[in-house]
Amino acid sequence: MTAGVLGACKDLNIRIPQDVSVVSYGDLDYTWNLITPSVTVVTQSPFEIGRKSAELVLQRLSDKNIPGLSHLFLKPELIVRESSGPCETIHQRGGCNK
């Protein structure tokens, strides 16, 4: 979807980040270095998600008294790159809530 947004902006002569900021969910390290401007992302570590999932499975296999439903919250990370402009610039055009 991010590639589609970037392509549409290019086709419509919308400048990133001067006219619009682009932020994606999920980081694809191996492709972002090929895209300009580099894309700001909100990410959660797939490794950490897998590790926590494996821990829960092993706990349930070893202790049958653990409830079947668990809620686990992992803190996302914002990685700011070239595709997002400063809020002050956007605010001047009425598009940013501070």
Side-chain angles (χ1 to χ4, degrees), residues 47 52 89:
F47 178 82
K52 292 288 189 181
T89 303

Side-chain angles (χ1 to χ4, degrees), residues 21-69:
S21 289
V22 175
V23 179
S24 181
Y25 183 80
D27 198 6
L28 300 173
D29 290 327
Y30 60 90
T31 59
W32 292 132
N33 61 351
L34 303 174
I35 298 172
T36 46
S38 58
V39 178
T40 297
V41 296
V42 175
T43 186
Q44 287 184 320
S45 169
F47 178 82
E48 186 66 16
I49 292 169
R51 189 177 72 76
K52 292 288 189 181
S53 299
E55 285 176 5
L56 286 172
V57 168
L58 292 174
Q59 287 173 0
R60 288 191 181 147
L61 289 173
S62 65
D63 184 354
K64 302 297 183 191
N65 294 322
I66 295 177
L69 179 63

Side-chain angles (χ1 to χ4, degrees), residues 1-16:
M1 288 182 70
T2 303
V5 169
L6 296 173
C9 287
K10 182 178 179 181
D11 292 346
L12 296 169
N13 293 318
I14 297 172
R15 299 172 304 154
I16 302 169

